[in-house]
Amino acid sequence: MRESIIMKIHYGTALGAVALVAVHILMRMSQKFSDSLQYQNVIANYHFLPYALMLEVLLVLLSVHGFNGLRVILLELKQGSTYERMINYGSLAAMAALIAYGSRTILMAGMGVS
Amino acid sequence: MAVVETKPSEEPKSNAKTTDQTNTITLRISRSNPSEGQESTFAEFQVPVQKWTTVLEAILYVKQNLDHSVAVRYSCRQASCGSCGMKINGRPALACYTKVSELNSNVITVEPMNNFPIIRDLAVDFKQLISNHKKMKPFIIREDSEVTPESKEFIQTPQDLEKFLQFSYCIKCGLCNSACPTMATDESFIGPQGLAQAYRYVADNRDKGKDERLKIVDDSHGIWRCHFAGSCSQVCPKGVDPAMAIQLLRGYMLGFRK
Ligand code: HEM
Ligand code: SF4
Ligand code: FES
């Protein structure tokens, strides 16, 4: 993938995350902060489908943004074609792993498994 | 630099005294020879200087009178050739364009520029700088050449010229690259010098090579590795603003500019 496309995704995911984190914070502020952390309330969030979907999107945005950011840092730290290939595929794998693990949490909580 | 002409009779007396004054400074020169495995050490010299003595002149005084083996690259002595870039009291600058008096110190330390391989002492290797500069295709690209007898010159308005003029003042001294924090760790990074030159030609309305150049800088060690530190623009002796060129060039790639 061209670097410009990757960086457009990087900036896009950052902007998207700002918007969604704002919603996330506003949701927390709809009640007292300590209440928002009550077990029932947390579980209720996951049962509320639009909000659970938003969390899922936020998870994807931040995983992509964060691990691409890490990829950039590592590319600037050291050079070499094997190393760079490892970094590129490694960060893709890390993104996928984090998204998979986070989705599992969102799904299980949403279905009342946990 | 403004030269104020005064007739001898008008010359203020008090000033005449101070301008002739000779001061002695300590010049600390970083000496090293990596090909011989010689690590860098500092050699200290006492150098007489006057109000107008430049750092390059102080170094040349050492070469002429104290130690001729000091390696330094220079040519024009007037901030035009881009040869004499070095770290002067920790800051990248042209030695011929920095007066000792403006440093406000009796101890002057000169070191080779950061982010370049050292050849010896103050002389660094410009191979990568020049090769990255060439990669940017630093010439006007278009099908019709201006040398055919039928074609006239390509007329530009002052506004057209303004878009790239400051970037054409680059003398390839490498000071910007030596100040850049990305260059410090990413040896494959094109660097502010090359990126500013890519912009210089892309922004020239006579040029038709925009797409070609944008493709070249759109690399994993290209334009996106700039993180807006802006130190390149701080140290440029020719008033070029490479940091701005990079952001303007990004504008084309993000679709803000056509
Ligand atoms: C939601 C607010 C955020 C915004 C607006 C944002 C914006 C940005 C931008 C513009 C860059 C590019 C900087 C550059 O090229 O110099 C960047 C880089 C980066 N971001 Fe974010 N980001 C945000 C959140 C996050 C989060 C939560 C993480 C961690 C998961 C993260 C991790 C990184 C990393 C590791 C880099 C690479 C470092 C760098 O390039 O300087 N960011 N971010
Ligand atoms: S942009 Fe300025 S600092 Fe950089 S190489 Fe050109 S003249 Fe030197
Ligand atoms: S000697 Fe030419 S720029 Fe300094």
Side-chain angles (χ1 to χ4, degrees):
Chain A
M1 211 189 281
R2 289 218 75 82
E3 198 66 17
S4 53
I5 297 176
I6 299 176
M7 292 313 286
K8 278 178 197 166
I9 293 171
H10 194 74
Y11 300 149
T13 50
L15 289 176
V18 170
L20 296 193
V21 169
V23 175
H24 175 64
I25 292 172
L26 286 173
M27 287 291 275
R28 301 276 64 68
M29 278 163 45
S30 65
Q31 49 192 322
K32 255 174 66 193
F33 182 69
S34 56
D35 287 348
S36 81
L37 292 178
Q38 290 294 314
Y39 181 78
Q40 292 309 328
N41 279 328
V42 174
I43 291 299
N45 282 331
Y46 288 110
H47 283 287
F48 179 41
L49 190 65
Y51 190 69
L53 277 177
M54 190 206 83
L55 287 180
E56 178 69 27
V57 173
L58 187 58
L59 170 70
V60 173
L61 293 181
L62 286 180
S63 307
V64 170
H65 180 89
F67 280 111
N68 182 55
L70 184 63
R71 180 192 71 100
V72 167
I73 293 174
L74 294 172
L75 283 186
E76 287 175 10
L77 204 62
K78 204 167 112 65
Q79 290 76 49
S81 60
T82 319
Y83 170 79
E84 290 180 26
R85 207 165 326 116
M86 263 167 50
I87 296 302
N88 287 335
Y89 288 116
S91 42
L92 272 177
M95 273 174 213
L98 185 61
I99 292 171
Y101 184 73
S103 304
R104 173 186 160 275
T105 306
I106 294 174
L107 245 141
M108 279 169 58
M111 297 192 309
V113 182
S114 68
Chain B
M1 213 186 301
V3 178
V4 182
E5 281 185 28
T6 47
K7 288 190 197 121
S9 58
E10 290 171 3
E11 196 148 15
K13 290 252 153 46
S14 59
N15 212 10
K17 255 185 209 159
T18 50
T19 48
D20 283 346
Q21 248 172 27
T22 303
N23 231 332
T24 300
I25 56 135
T26 304
L27 183 62
R28 298 175 70 236
I29 302 182
S30 168
R31 310 289 313 261
S32 66
N33 190 352
S35 66
E36 302 283 316
Q38 187 194 319
E39 299 265 316
S40 97
T41 52
F42 282 99
E44 290 195 4
F45 304 96
Q46 300 301 309
V47 179
V49 295
Q50 285 164 311
K51 199 176 166 185
W52 50 78
T53 306
T54 63
V55 172
L56 180 63
E57 284 164 343
I59 296 167
L60 294 180
Y61 176 90
V62 171
K63 277 180 78 73
Q64 277 156 15
N65 301 291
L66 305 170
D67 182 349
H68 63 85
S69 71
V70 171
V72 57
R73 187 197 284 118
Y74 70 99
S75 174
C76 69
R77 309 188 196 202
Q78 51 176 6
S80 297
C81 72
S83 306
C84 67
M86 60 184 71
K87 241 172 20 180
I88 303 173
N89 283 358
R91 195 186 152 88
L94 293 178
C96 73
Y97 199 50
T98 307
K99 283 196 301 243
V100 169
S101 57
E102 78 193 59
L103 296 168
N104 294 322
S105 168
N106 285 328
V107 182
I108 311 265
T109 304
V110 290
E111 296 164 271
M113 283 194 286
N114 286 348
N115 308 343
F116 287 91
I118 298 173
I119 299 174
R120 191 159 68 79
D121 301 344
L122 301 170
V124 296
D125 188 345
F126 271 2
K127 246 188 242 112
Q128 200 193 3
L129 176 105
I130 301 298
S131 116
N132 281 347
H133 177 72
K134 280 188 184 162
K135 269 189 218 150
M136 299 304 113
K137 300 184 184 283
F139 40 80
I140 302 284
I141 298 173
R142 57 187 290 154
E143 294 285 307
D144 50 340
S145 144
E146 48 191 308
V147 290
T148 61
E150 309 87 61
S151 73
K152 288 200 188 132
E153 60 198 315
F154 301 120
I155 293 172
Q156 285 186 306
T157 65
Q159 287 76 23
D160 292 334
L161 180 67
E162 197 56 44
K163 293 203 177 102
F164 66 84
L165 184 62
Q166 67 150 306
F167 305 103
S168 68
Y169 292 147
C170 173
I171 55 171
K172 292 97 198 158
C173 64
L175 292 176
C176 51
N177 283 14
S178 83
C180 171
T182 301
M183 288 247 77
T185 57
D186 186 349
E187 56 189 45
S188 311
F189 182 43
I190 296 171
Q193 191 279 332
L195 292 170
Q197 289 314 292
Y199 179 74
R200 179 254 172 272
Y201 288 93
V202 166
D204 190 325
N205 68 346
R206 296 166 298 182
D207 181 79
K208 302 278 176 263
K210 184 179 93 187
D211 295 342
E212 249 175 89
R213 288 197 197 84
L214 292 188
K215 229 181 241 157
I216 297 167
V217 299
D218 190 4
D219 178 78
S220 58
H221 295 284
I223 188 160
W224 306 103
R225 297 295 84 87
C226 162
H227 304 287
F228 331 102
S231 35
C232 48
S233 305
Q234 289 274 316
V235 301
C236 177
K238 302 303 283 186
V240 179
D241 188 346
M244 182 168 82
I246 294 171
Q247 301 320 317
L248 292 173
L249 200 53
R250 268 186 187 168
Y252 289 101
M253 314 186 84
L254 294 172
F256 296 123
R257 292 162 69 90
K258 280 278 160 292

